[in-house]
Amino acid sequence: MVEAATVAAAAPIFGDAGLKALGAAIAIAGTGIASAWAEKDIGSAAIGAMAENEALFGKGLILTVIPETIVIFGLVVALLVSS
Amino acid sequence: MSRPKRMTKAIIVGHKSILKVTVDALHDSNLFHVEDFIEDESGFKISKPFQNAEEVSRKLVKIRSISNFLGIEPKEPAVQKADSVLRELDTKLNQLDRSISEKSEMISKCETDLKDLETQKRDLLPFLSINLDFDYYRGYDNLKVFAGSIKGNLEEGQISSITQAYELYYDPQAKTVVLFVAKKDADRVQEVLQKLEFRDLRVPERGGIPSELLKVTEQNEADASRQIESLRKEVESMKSQYADFLLASDEILSIENQKAELPLRIATSQNAFIIEGWVPSDNYDKVVSTVNSATSSRAYVTSLEIEEEEEEEGHVPVEYNNSKPVAPMQEIMDLYSRPKYTEIDPSSILLITFPLIYGMILGDIGYAIILGAIALAIKKLVKSDAVKPLMNILLYCQISTFIFGIIYGEFLGFPLASMHAEGETIPGLIPGWDTVTLFSGLAGEQFTFPVHRTHMIMTMIGVCLIVGLLHLNLGFILGFINLSHHSMKHAVLEKGSWMIIELGVLVAALGYFGGISGLTYVGAGILVLGIVMLTMGEGIKGPIELPSLMGNTLSYARIIAVGLSSIYIAGTVNDIAFKMIWPDHSQIGFAAIAAIIIFILGHALNTVLSIIAPGLHALRLQYVEFFGKFYQGGGRKFNPFGYIRKYTEE
């Protein structure tokens, strides 16, 4: 652990490792915001529909979680970049 | 894998004189789903409710309003004989109604009294320190009495400068003034007082000294409150005394009401009735014999052919046909949508796939034991029919979590087996248990037993995607079976084509990475064939949806992603507690207690998250990825005419 810390401190941010980590971070952050944004609208509409008819819970849940795939893609990209 | 219960469409025809016995028999059997009759050109009309309907619903309204007033809730049933309850019903109900209205009237009277006393008290308070009988405030011919409150300060000199004939009582704290002056001086005195913003106070009409009156009022107030209290207690005791009776009679009258209103749902002519509906085919004979024995075979019962159109359009009511262990999964099905009559009911497949994916995500022996114990406890303590299936599902999930916990070797975020990797050793909880490297995985990782998820992320992503592909293909196979009942051609073109496409990709990949170029071309050929079949089956929308196959498969990467988040939360809690707060394990003191508190709180939080996150993600993988491949849903619930008695018996 100590060795890793000194290496990280010595290495420049825009070196190979740093850029990889930044790329992974951007992939996660961007896709996270994107799916949150998409789910926000769908989720509020789904809650509205459920207030009218509770039987719509299943369909509401499905529609709400569809954009989640975006962040999963982001995760995969991040792991591929950083590994 | 099962299909919904087979249904038989049946009609019962008879003379109106036997309608009541027929309805009674059908209701007792609780097997017949009555199809509501809609008036049309045929000349049949819906009938009127039975004669007793009005009386029954009047009593029902009364019972429910009393239950509501007493706050009676469903409870552990004490089963009573229906006829004995029915015999006592009228007298008991009237008696109850009378005493309840008496009590509530008395309560409301006491509450009004209490409010009056409150007002009286408020009127008394300003005069409290002026110890003068209220009778002295009135009844003078030549005296004017000023009784009121002022702002600012009153000097006695202000009055004495106007007249010597006065009597002043002044309470400087409450700013209450009581002033007696001769009538002839009254105007001038009033001017002085008005400068001090004098406002009249209401003088209580009762005579007496204020402090004594206050004592009496407070006494009365206490009496009234006590009386309300005792009345409330009596109502409370009535609640426990009559709860069983009210629940039982509510049930009996609800049953009577259902029966009495059935004529509104069936077709009748001048003298005859027709009841149309659905019976599970297995029970058809039973319904026939029940109706026949009740009416001495004077009613005509027959089954009708179910038209294909009715099946397709979802007119046939759907009843699950599952064994007892599978039954809890029906809750998950109902949450989405009940299966159609013509399609496969995937509850029994969910019994395996849902806990499997949940367990793969969570995979921790500690959480499995905690959550399993919670589920068992709730199942024991809460007798609600709505909660039980959910707890059973949670239990199934914990069994799978426990098994995966052993495979992953995890206990509350601690690794159980020690691991040697890249020159460092990560100690495990169980000394002497080392991880064994089985073979090398993806991206230079080692596949070990127990599986250290944090050290073989890429390999686990691969494993998850394979699980996902298997799950999706199971969906395609179910879709194939669903469609093949309809037409084999559609089944092959719409669902089989997807599997051919997968096969093509697989063969091509094998050829490409294996360096056999011939195989690559064969694979590409199969792929093209699959795409052509798909286009024939689903039109242009088929090829457009091709990338969704990749999206759906990659979606299963969430299994490891959500699992890792759970491990890292647990691991962080452990690190904070045992590495940061209490690093020296030999010393037992304040740090040890703090560490244990942090440990318990942190894991309590993660336990709650461990229900929500893996549960929702496992559910989503079933609903979106899996069901999307074959499931339609939208079946109508089989709702038999009858009642499941809880508080009474025949």
Side-chain angles (χ1 to χ4, degrees):
Chain A
M1 285 303 275
V2 179
E3 262 173 70
T6 42
V7 167
I13 296 175
F14 293 106
D16 266 4
L19 282 177
K20 267 186 180 177
L22 272 178
I26 291 170
I28 286 284
T31 51
I33 291 170
S35 24
W37 201 333
E39 274 180 36
K40 176 200 89 181
D41 289 339
I42 305 172
S44 50
I47 295 282
M50 262 169 66
E52 293 275 324
N53 177 5
E54 269 191 44
L56 289 173
F57 173 81
K59 300 223 166 69
L61 177 69
I62 291 163
L63 292 172
T64 310
V65 297
I66 282 177
E68 238 177 30
T69 316
I70 305 172
V71 77
I72 299 281
F73 286 152
L75 177 82
V76 172
V77 167
L79 287 172
L80 285 174
V81 166
S82 62
S83 71
Chain B
M1 197 173 76
S2 61
R3 284 177 178 278
K5 271 189 189 162
R6 296 295 92 191
M7 290 286 162
T8 300
K9 190 180 188 184
I11 56 169
I12 303 169
V13 183
H15 190 264
K16 264 188 175 169
S17 60
I18 56 166
L19 178 57
K20 187 138 184 25
V21 279
T22 315
V23 168
D24 284 346
L26 280 183
H27 195 277
D28 287 343
S29 73
N30 197 16
L31 287 169
F32 196 84
H33 176 108
V34 176
E35 194 68 45
D36 287 0
F37 173 70
I38 298 156
E39 285 186 5
D40 50 17
E41 305 291 299
S42 62
F44 285 101
K45 293 243 176 314
I46 58 167
S47 183
K48 285 197 200 74
F50 289 144
Q51 264 178 350
N52 65 348
E54 201 181 324
E55 192 196 336
V56 165
S57 42
R58 191 165 42 79
K59 283 183 196 160
L60 202 53
V61 167
K62 204 186 252 179
I63 284 179
R64 290 195 178 149
S65 75
I66 291 176
S67 304
N68 203 12
F69 176 78
L70 292 179
I72 287 179
E73 277 156 13
K75 53 164 201 148
E76 193 68 356
V79 177
Q80 306 177 51
K81 284 270 173 220
D83 45 352
S84 72
V85 175
L86 207 54
R87 220 178 305 124
E88 292 177 328
L89 187 92
D90 284 337
T91 48
K92 245 185 177 170
L93 187 58
N94 280 335
Q95 193 187 328
L96 190 61
D97 191 29
R98 227 182 358 257
S99 59
I100 293 254
S101 54
E102 215 170 79
K103 294 259 152 56
S104 61
E105 238 166 65
M106 272 161 79
I107 288 179
S108 69
K109 190 177 158 286
C110 283
E111 276 168 348
T112 337
D113 285 354
L114 208 57
K115 249 185 221 138
D116 285 348
L117 289 169
E118 191 75 21
T119 333
Q120 281 178 26
K121 202 168 134 188
R122 231 190 354 255
D123 287 347
L124 272 178
L125 284 176
F127 297 103
L128 204 57
S129 59
I130 298 167
N131 230 3
L132 198 61
D133 195 315
F134 286 123
D135 279 337
Y136 297 152
Y137 282 61
R138 51 198 157 231
Y140 302 109
D141 288 334
N142 298 315
L143 281 183
K144 168 82 182 167
V145 184
F146 292 98
S149 66
I150 53 166
K151 285 185 180 154
N153 233 341
L154 177 71
E155 301 291 333
E156 204 166 342
Q158 288 173 291
I159 309 293
S160 58
S161 66
I162 298 167
T163 171
Q164 285 301 313
Y166 71 92
E167 185 77 46
L168 172 70
Y169 297 87
Y170 176 51
D171 176 4
Q173 237 152 25
K175 304 269 183 210
T176 310
V177 176
V178 178
L179 179 61
F180 298 82
V181 289
K183 273 218 168 128
K184 60 182 171 53
D185 301 324
D187 288 345
R188 275 183 297 153
V189 170
Q190 188 154 17
E191 263 170 43
V192 172
L193 286 175
Q194 237 147 29
K195 275 185 199 137
L196 295 166
E197 293 183 42
F198 174 82
R199 279 174 60 199
D200 273 320
L201 281 172
R202 209 159 65 89
V203 178
E205 278 161 24
R206 266 170 69 192
I209 309 282
S211 56
E212 280 168 21
L213 281 179
L214 185 72
K215 228 181 268 168
V216 175
T217 316
E218 273 172 352
Q219 184 73 37
N220 288 346
E221 244 181 11
D223 283 347
S225 315
R226 240 196 322 276
Q227 204 178 353
I228 291 177
E229 193 74 3
S230 79
L231 282 168
R232 291 242 162 90
K233 258 194 202 119
E234 278 173 49
V235 170
E236 199 60 27
S237 79
M238 275 165 78
K239 174 181 167 180
S240 54
Q241 191 187 342
Y242 284 99
D244 285 335
F245 164 74
L246 284 170
L247 287 169
S249 47
D250 187 321
E251 183 169 286
I252 290 174
L253 291 175
S254 302
I255 291 171
E256 284 307 313
N257 195 41
Q258 273 186 4
K259 288 182 190 170
E261 287 182 352
L262 186 76
L264 290 170
R265 302 169 58 193
I266 59 173
T268 54
S269 67
Q270 189 81 34
N271 293 313
F273 69 85
I274 304 174
I275 306 176
E276 187 183 330
W278 303 90
V279 194
S281 302
D282 295 342
N283 299 112
Y284 176 68
D285 292 336
K286 198 172 155 203
V287 169
V288 173
S289 66
T290 315
V291 171
N292 278 342
S293 69
T295 60
S296 8
S297 298
R298 287 197 293 151
Y300 174 71
V301 189
T302 186
S303 63
L304 297 178
E305 198 74 28
I306 302 176
E307 290 157 32
E308 202 170 315
E309 200 178 297
E310 279 182 308
E311 281 189 358
E312 287 303 317
E313 283 175 15
H315 287 309
V316 188
V318 173
E319 170 78 333
Y320 290 109
N321 188 18
N322 287 319
S323 55
K324 221 176 145 205
V326 181
M329 307 319 277
Q330 289 165 196
E331 294 292 316
I332 293 185
M333 295 301 306
D334 276 341
L335 205 56
Y336 185 85
S337 176
R338 205 168 262 244
K340 280 204 320 192
Y341 183 66
T342 44
E343 65 182 340
I344 292 170
D345 164 19
S347 307
S348 42
I349 293 162
L350 284 190
L351 179 69
I352 299 166
T353 54
F354 179 72
L356 182 86
I357 290 176
Y358 182 99
M360 268 189 91
I361 294 175
L362 188 54
D364 188 298
I365 297 175
Y367 290 128
I369 292 171
I370 294 173
L371 287 171
I374 291 175
L376 274 180
I378 294 180
K379 217 178 126 183
K380 265 259 158 63
L381 294 177
V382 183
K383 294 277 181 225
S384 157
D385 290 337
V387 173
K388 238 177 205 165
L390 298 181
M391 290 306 125
N392 279 330
I393 296 173
L394 193 58
L395 262 185
Y396 292 156
C397 290
Q398 297 322 317
I399 295 170
S400 149
T401 305
F402 190 85
I403 296 169
F404 276 99
I406 295 172
I407 296 175
Y408 296 157
E410 279 171 33
F411 185 89
L412 294 179
F414 291 109
L416 285 181
S418 47
M419 180 181 178
H420 314 277
E422 293 153 14
E424 50 175 328
T425 302
I426 301 161
L429 274 190
I430 301 175
W433 189 16
D434 283 356
T435 42
V436 187
T437 303
L438 298 177
F439 46 84
S440 53
L442 298 174
E445 293 162 347
Q446 303 292 319
F447 198 97
T448 57
F449 179 83
V451 175
H452 265 262
R453 284 191 279 179
T454 45
H455 286 83
M456 36 191 294
I457 296 171
M458 290 312 287
T459 314
M460 281 310 289
I461 286 183
V463 172
C464 293
L465 296 192
I466 291 170
V467 169
L469 269 179
L470 292 176
H471 198 211
L472 289 177
N473 279 302
L474 185 62
F476 284 130
I477 293 170
L478 291 178
F480 187 89
I481 297 172
N482 263 342
L483 281 177
S484 66
H485 275 262
H486 203 66
S487 114
M488 195 47 125
K489 188 180 145 216
H490 276 259
V492 171
L493 289 182
E494 285 178 28
K495 303 293 170 189
S497 55
W498 283 103
M499 286 187 273
I500 292 174
I501 289 168
E502 286 172 39
L503 184 74
V505 173
L506 190 71
V507 171
L510 270 183
Y512 185 76
F513 290 110
I516 315 163
S517 59
L519 213 54
T520 316
Y521 293 123
V522 175
I526 300 175
L527 182 64
V528 171
L529 173 72
I531 293 174
V532 169
M533 282 168 66
L534 184 66
T535 319
M536 283 165 67
E538 296 200 29
I540 191 67
K541 140 173 168 266
I544 289 173
E545 278 194 7
L546 263 182
S548 78
L549 188 63
M550 191 184 76
N552 284 341
T553 314
L554 274 182
S555 183
Y556 285 80
R558 77 182 64 231
I559 294 178
I560 178 71
V562 178
L564 281 179
S565 77
S566 168
I567 297 180
Y568 282 129
I569 292 173
T572 309
V573 169
N574 295 341
D575 282 354
I576 291 174
F578 295 123
K579 283 194 184 147
M580 289 163 73
I581 298 181
W582 189 29
D584 184 4
H585 291 198
S586 56
Q587 253 182 346
I588 292 170
F590 172 74
I593 297 167
I596 288 168
I597 291 173
I598 294 278
F599 180 76
I600 291 173
L601 287 181
H603 282 293
L605 172 78
N606 204 21
T607 307
V608 177
L609 288 178
S610 298
I611 305 175
I612 299 168
L616 270 183
H617 284 278
L619 201 62
R620 175 228 149 94
L621 288 177
Q622 311 296 332
Y623 281 172
V624 182
E625 274 77 15
F626 185 49
F627 280 8
K629 300 289 164 282
F630 68 100
Y631 192 69
Q632 285 183 310
R636 208 151 61 106
K637 192 178 175 200
F638 176 73
N639 188 10
F641 177 60
Y643 198 99
I644 299 168
R645 288 168 184 267
K646 270 163 86 181
Y647 302 103
T648 57
E649 60 187 12
E650 287 282 337

